[in-house]
Amino acid sequence: MVARVFRLNGLLAAAGDALSRPAGQSSARWQVLAILEGEPATVASIARVLGLARQSVQRIADILEGEGLIRYVENPRHRRARLAQLSAEGRIVLAAIQAAQRPWADRVGGAVGAPSLRRATATLDALIAALE
């Protein structure tokens, strides 16, 4: 099972890279942009959601800031841990990636089926909870 999850991760990362490449991004950058879609977040909280080291997310966030896709804003809850926030340009780039992703997701979801995807999601959630 673990080998299959690793294989799936590789396939999803490759698909994410292909989907985000026309927007000049990678799947790693897309993940950070997507997390910031709802609300600003600290780099540490983004790293926790993605299960990555804070330093690797910090590097990606700094690149996104350099490209003008996110900006850092003051965090009212913590003086030193600034919040990353999508910029207007970041929202445009994210929307372009999501538009490319929808038909891909529909094809994959149609091939697997909604009931199977729901069962797989529940199983993965249980595994994540057990490992955390």
Side-chain angles (χ1 to χ4, degrees):
M1 191 262 329
V2 172
R4 284 182 170 85
V5 170
F6 287 156
R7 175 75 176 133
L8 177 61
N9 180 60
L11 292 168
L12 289 172
D17 285 340
L19 290 166
S20 60
R21 189 173 300 115
Q25 301 304 312
S26 66
S27 60
R29 293 179 184 189
W30 174 16
Q31 290 173 48
V32 172
L33 293 172
I35 288 173
L36 296 175
E37 182 178 26
E39 62 185 1
T42 64
V43 167
S45 66
I46 295 167
R48 277 192 298 277
V49 169
L50 295 175
L52 299 172
R54 188 201 60 77
Q55 294 86 346
S56 64
V57 175
Q58 185 69 62
R59 184 184 60 77
I60 292 167
D62 289 346
I63 291 168
L64 292 170
E65 182 197 30
E67 294 177 354
L69 302 180
I70 70 167
R71 62 180 170 267
Y72 292 113
V73 298
E74 295 303 315
N75 183 348
R77 294 188 183 130
H78 195 284
R79 197 174 337 147
R80 289 186 13 213
R82 297 179 298 166
L83 296 170
Q85 178 179 8
L86 275 181
S87 67
E89 181 65 24
R91 289 191 184 282
I92 291 167
V93 167
L94 180 59
I97 297 168
Q98 290 170 331
Q101 186 257 350
R102 276 192 276 293
W104 173 86
D106 288 345
R107 280 192 310 277
V108 172
V112 175
S116 292
L117 288 172
R118 280 193 289 277
R119 282 191 305 276
T121 300
T123 300
L124 290 172
D125 287 345
L127 282 166
I128 290 167
L131 290 169
E132 287 179 335

